[in-house]
Amino acid sequence: MIQAIVFLPLLAALVAGLGQRVIGNVPSKIITTGALFISCALSWPIFLSFVTGSGEATVTPVLHWVSSGALQFNWELRVDTLTAVMLVVITTVSALVHLYSWGYMEEDPDQPRFFAYLSLFTFAMLMLVTANNLVQMFFGWEGVGLASYLLIGFWYKKPSANAAAIKAFVVNRVGDLGFMLGIFGTFLVFGTVSIPEILAAAPGMAGSTISFMGMRLDTMTILCLLLFIGAMGKSAQLGLHTWLPDAMEGPTPVSALIHAATMVTAGVFMVCRLSPMFETSDVAQGVVMFVGAATCFFAATVATTQWDIKRVIAYSTCSQLGYMFFAAGAGAYGAAMFHLFTHAFFKALLFLGAGSVIHAMHHEQDMRYYGNLRKSIPITYWAMMLGTLAITGVGIAGVAGFAGFYSKDGILEAAYASGGGGVIAFWVGIFVAFLTSFYSWRLVFLTFYGKPRWEQSEHIQHAVHDDHGHGHDDHAHAAHDGHHHHDAHGDGTAGYHPHESPLSMLIPLVVLSIGAVFAGIAFHHQFIYPEEGMAFWKGSLAFDEHLMHAAHEVPLWVKWTPFTVMAIGLFLAWNSYIRNTSLPARFVAQFKLLHQFLYNKWYFDELYNIVFVKPAFAIGRFFWKRGDEQTIDRFGPDGAAALVAGGTRLAVRLQSGYVYGYAFVMLLGLVGLASWAMVNFL
C-alpha cells in the first residue's frame, strides 16, 4: 500500500510529462489527478489506524542502495504516526490542488507540463516523509527544491517568475549546505545515517564534545544547529525567508501546494523527526525557539501592510511556521505537528480561495481594487470566511472552536508552561495572534465588503474592452474569455460583473472548509493531550507528557488571552476598513517611517542586495572581464589565434609568386651556406 501511495505520483508525472504531446491535455490531467486521489484514499486508512490505536510502525524495503565501507543503507519506506500525519496532509492537499487546477489552468497551453510538475513535487515530498535514513530524506529534500524551482518559474516567459524561481533555488542552497554538513557530521559521530539508530544513540551523546574549527564544542548542539539551518531554508525562517513571498509569481495552485502541504512543512517535519537529537541540546532548542518567535513576529508585521492578496497569505504562512518552530523549541513537538496538520487545511483553503477571487477579478491581485465581492462570489466568500475563522483561532475555551483555535492555543499554552524563554515566546505569540486577526480580517473586509473599487483597476478595464484580455500576474499565457464583458456605454467597468469559479475550483474549497472547521475538534486529543498523545505518537517523536500536562493546567487567563487579542484584532480591522475607512490613511501619514519599514519587508531584500548580490556580481564581472577575457582568453585561445594569424600574414607576404623573388631567396641561401662552410672549414 505504501509503495502505491509514494510511487503513483511519480508514475503519473512521468506519463504526463514525457507523453504530453501524445496523450494531450485531458488524459494528462486525468492520470495525474486520479493518481493523487488514489494515494489520498490509501493514506487516510493508515492515519486513522494510528488514531484508533491499531496502527503499527512498519519499514518497507524498496531496494539496496549504497554499500561503501561503513556507509551502508537501503531505500526503505518508513510508516509511523509522524509519517501517517504527513501522508494525509500531503496527499489530501495535493489531490485537491490537482482538481482545482483543472479550472484554474483551463486555458493554459502547457497543462500536461504543469500537472506533471505538481505530481513530481508531491512524490518528492512523499519520499522525504517516508525516509528511514538521512540520505533518503536529503533526496526528497532536494527533490522538493527542484520541483519548486520548476513550478515557481512555470511561466518561464515572465522575467519576474524566472527571477523568483532562481531566488528560491539559491536561498535554499544556502540552507541545504547547513543540512548537508549536519548529515556529514551526524554520520561522523554516529557511524550511520539510519534515523532509528541515530535517535536511539542520541541520548548517549549528550554532553560530549567535538573539535569544530579549532574549538571543542558540544557535539549535539553543533549537529542540531547545522540541521536546523536546513530547516530555516526550506521553512522560510527569518534570514532565509526572502524566497517565500516571491514564490507568489507561480500559479496560485502552486502557492497553495508549497505553502500548505509540501516544501515549507519539510523543515518542521525534519525537526520533529529528529526531536530526540534536539532534546539533548538546550542551546539548540533555544535557538529554534528564538528563530521561530522572531519569524512569527517579523512576518506578521509585514503582512499588515501588504496589498497583494497572495502576499498577505504568504507572509501569514511564514508567521504560522514560526509558531510551529517555537513550539518545537519549547519541546512541544506534538503541538507543532498539530498546527502543521490544521494549518494545511485552512492555509490551502485561503490560497485556493484567493485564487478564486483573482480568477473572478481578471487576475487582479491588489485588494485596493476589490470590494463588495461577497454577493458576486458567495461560495468563495464563505470558504474564505471559514479559513479566516480558522487561522485567527476563533473558539471558546472548553467548548468548541475552529481548527486554528485548538492548534495555535495548544502551542501558546505549551510555550507558557515550558517556562524560561518559552514565556517570552508566549507573549510574542500572543501579539502575533492579534496581528494575525487584524491582517486576516483586513483581507476579508477589503475583498468582500465596502463599495466596489473595480473601476480603478487598469487590468479589469483592459479585460472589459479586450476580448483577448490576458492574465495579470497569475496567467501570463492564459485568457479567460468567458468572463469578459463589454460595456455598451463605454464607461469602463459598468458592464463587468465578477462570476463564481467553475465547479472544479469550488469542490476543493468546500472539502478544505470542512477540514478548517473540524480538523481541530476531531483530532486535538490525539495530538496534544497527555495520555492520548503518548499512545498516538508511539515514539515517533519526543512527546513530553509532563509538559503537556502542565500546558493543560495553565491559568485561565492564559487560555482566554488568545481569544481576547483575536477579538481586538477583529474590532480594529472592522473599525479601520468598514466603519472609519479614513483611519488607515491617517495612521500611515502619522507613522510614515514605520509603515515604509514594514511595507518594504524590513528592507531584508535591499540589505541582501547590498551585502551579497552586488558583491557577487562585482566578483563575477571581475573574473569575467579581467580573468577570463583579459588573461585566459588573451594568453590562451585568443593569443594562440593571434600568433597563428600573424605568422600567416608574414608567410603570405613571403609567398609572392614571382620567380625572381624565389631565385633571390635561393641565392641568399647559397651565400649563407658558403659563408658558413668557409668559416668552419677554412
Side-chain angles (χ1 to χ4, degrees):
M1 182 182 291
I2 185 62
Q3 297 98 319
I5 292 171
V6 173
F7 290 108
L8 273 175
L10 175 63
L11 182 62
L14 291 173
V15 172
L18 300 178
Q20 55 180 306
R21 294 184 179 179
V22 178
I23 62 178
N25 287 353
V26 175
S28 295
K29 294 191 287 188
I30 291 173
I31 291 169
T32 52
T33 308
L36 260 298
F37 271 96
I38 293 171
S39 290
C40 178
L42 295 175
S43 296
W44 274 96
I46 294 175
F47 171 70
L48 293 175
S49 71
F50 284 98
V51 170
T52 58
S54 60
E56 293 293 335
T58 60
V59 176
T60 305
V62 176
L63 54 85
H64 184 67
W65 200 356
V66 170
S67 179
S68 177
L71 182 63
Q72 299 191 21
F73 54 87
N74 299 328
W75 190 346
E76 299 169 330
L77 304 177
R78 179 179 183 82
V79 178
D80 56 13
T81 307
L82 192 59
T83 306
V85 171
M86 295 302 295
L87 287 179
V88 295
V89 166
I90 295 163
T91 57
T92 302
V93 174
S94 184
L96 294 173
V97 166
H98 274 72
L99 178 59
Y100 181 93
S101 300
W102 278 61
Y104 196 87
M105 302 294 289
E106 182 182 4
E107 300 189 25
D108 193 285
D110 287 331
Q111 292 176 61
R113 180 167 65 91
F114 178 77
F115 280 83
Y117 287 171
L118 283 183
S119 295
L120 178 65
F121 201 161
T122 308
F123 163 72
M125 192 64 191
L126 291 170
M127 281 299 307
L128 193 158
V129 300
T130 56
N132 200 38
N133 61 73
L134 292 177
V135 178
Q136 185 180 331
M137 183 182 285
F138 187 73
F139 176 83
W141 194 271
E142 293 302 302
V144 294
L146 168 65
S148 69
Y149 171 80
L150 295 174
L151 283 167
I152 294 168
F154 176 74
W155 286 316
Y156 54 84
K157 294 182 180 179
K158 285 175 62 181
S160 58
N162 289 328
I166 292 170
K167 189 175 184 180
F169 199 79
V170 171
V171 172
N172 272 277
R173 296 291 72 71
V174 176
D176 292 350
L177 174 62
F179 191 46
M180 283 190 288
L181 292 174
I183 293 174
F184 296 153
T186 302
F187 175 70
L188 178 68
V189 170
F190 293 96
T192 180
V193 292
S194 169
I195 292 174
E197 292 179 22
I198 292 168
L199 299 185
M205 294 302 298
S208 64
T209 60
I210 190 173
S211 178
F212 184 77
M213 298 179 68
M215 299 176 287
R216 299 299 300 183
L217 299 173
D218 185 81
T219 303
M220 298 308 295
T221 298
I222 292 298
L223 295 182
C224 291
L225 289 180
L226 288 172
L227 293 168
F228 180 60
I229 290 171
M232 287 176 65
K234 276 290 178 288
S235 295
Q237 293 301 284
L238 190 65
L240 296 177
H241 67 280
T242 54
W243 68 269
L244 191 62
D246 289 13
M248 297 303 96
E249 292 293 337
T252 295
V254 173
S255 304
L257 194 56
I258 290 177
H259 286 243
T262 54
M263 188 165 170
V264 296
T265 62
V268 180
F269 167 81
M270 185 267 285
V271 170
C272 291
R273 170 63 82 198
L274 304 180
S275 53
M277 288 181 68
F278 283 84
E279 284 289 300
T280 63
S281 172
D282 291 338
V283 174
Q285 283 191 303
V287 170
V288 173
M289 181 186 292
F290 173 79
V291 171
T295 305
C296 203
F297 175 75
F298 155 77
T301 59
V302 175
T304 59
T305 63
Q306 302 300 304
W307 293 112
D308 186 315
I309 187 171
K310 285 174 65 178
R311 281 186 179 269
V312 173
I313 304 173
Y315 278 108
S316 168
T317 298
C318 202
S319 183
Q320 298 302 310
L321 289 164
Y323 271 115
M324 298 175 207
F325 276 113
F326 83 63
Y333 302 99
M337 286 303 301
F338 188 30
H339 199 51
L340 186 156
F341 178 76
T342 60
H343 175 264
F345 292 104
F346 60 71
K347 188 50 59 69
L349 176 60
L350 288 171
F351 262 116
L352 297 184
S356 184
V357 172
I358 295 167
H359 182 273
M361 297 302 292
H362 279 289
H363 311 287
E364 174 60 76
Q365 296 183 203
D366 194 321
M367 296 185 295
R368 287 172 290 191
Y369 304 134
Y370 291 171
N372 201 34
L373 287 176
R374 68 186 188 281
K375 298 175 182 177
S376 304
I377 47 175
I379 298 175
T380 300
Y381 163 68
W382 281 110
M384 291 286 282
M385 279 293 291
L386 292 174
T388 302
L389 290 167
I391 194 174
T392 56
V394 173
I396 300 174
V399 182
F402 291 85
F405 167 75
Y406 290 97
S407 57
K408 190 194 299 185
D409 284 23
I411 287 174
L412 293 171
E413 290 163 13
Y416 182 84
S418 68
V423 177
I424 299 173
F426 165 78
W427 285 112
V428 172
I430 289 296
F431 182 66
V432 170
F434 159 71
L435 294 179
T436 301
S437 178
F438 174 75
Y439 68 66
S440 297
W441 290 111
R442 170 180 178 264
L443 183 152
V444 169
F445 294 146
L446 281 171
T447 303
F448 297 106
Y449 289 86
K451 296 179 180 179
R453 301 179 295 276
W454 315 327
E455 68 277 0
Q456 302 171 29
S457 171
E458 294 179 5
H459 306 291
I460 293 177
Q461 286 183 5
H462 175 72
V464 169
H465 288 293
D466 181 8
D467 264 342
H468 304 284
H470 291 273
H472 158 47
D473 187 41
D474 250 0
H475 269 245
H477 308 303
H480 289 259
D481 296 336
H483 296 297
H484 296 172
H485 301 272
H486 286 275
D487 172 20
H489 306 289
D491 59 350
T493 58
Y496 175 69
H497 301 285
H499 285 268
E500 191 63 273
S501 298
L503 197 60
S504 62
M505 293 171 65
L506 295 179
I507 291 173
L509 294 182
V510 173
V511 175
L512 290 169
S513 297
I514 296 171
V517 175
F518 297 110
I521 196 170
F523 300 111
H524 68 286
H525 277 84
Q526 286 79 14
F527 278 87
I528 58 175
Y529 271 64
E531 290 78 12
E532 292 92 332
M534 284 292 289
F536 178 66
W537 291 113
K538 294 179 181 176
S540 62
L541 52 72
F543 188 86
D544 190 338
E545 188 177 6
H546 300 294
L547 174 62
M548 298 319 295
H549 265 298
H552 290 291
E553 294 170 1
V554 295
L556 196 60
W557 68 265
V558 174
K559 295 179 179 291
W560 277 97
T561 302
F563 178 84
T564 305
V565 296
M566 179 279 300
I568 295 171
L570 168 58
F571 173 77
L572 187 59
W574 173 80
N575 188 50
S576 301
Y577 296 98
I578 299 294
R579 181 187 177 191
N580 187 1
T581 55
S582 64
L583 187 60
R586 297 207 310 270
F587 179 87
V588 170
Q590 184 74 25
F591 300 98
K592 190 172 183 180
L593 289 177
L594 175 63
H595 179 265
Q596 286 183 340
F597 179 70
L598 298 180
Y599 184 73
N600 288 287
K601 302 157 286 190
W602 292 26
Y603 293 100
F604 266 100
D605 284 308
E606 290 78 1
L607 177 64
Y608 285 1
N609 191 47
I610 294 170
V611 176
F612 298 116
V613 178
K614 287 185 176 179
F617 274 100
I619 293 169
R621 279 193 298 270
F622 173 80
F623 282 114
W624 170 31
K625 293 294 184 180
R626 297 293 181 88
D628 194 15
E629 290 186 350
Q630 296 183 17
T631 304
I632 297 174
D633 288 349
R634 180 181 178 186
F635 296 105
D638 290 350
L643 188 63
V644 171
T648 303
R649 284 193 296 271
L650 179 61
V652 166
R653 293 182 66 183
L654 290 175
Q655 298 288 335
S656 64
Y658 293 110
V659 174
Y660 62 79
Y662 298 142
F664 178 68
V665 172
M666 291 173 65
L667 180 61
L668 288 177
L670 287 172
V671 169
L673 181 62
S675 299
W676 177 81
M678 289 175 65
V679 170
N680 287 279
F681 297 106
L682 294 179

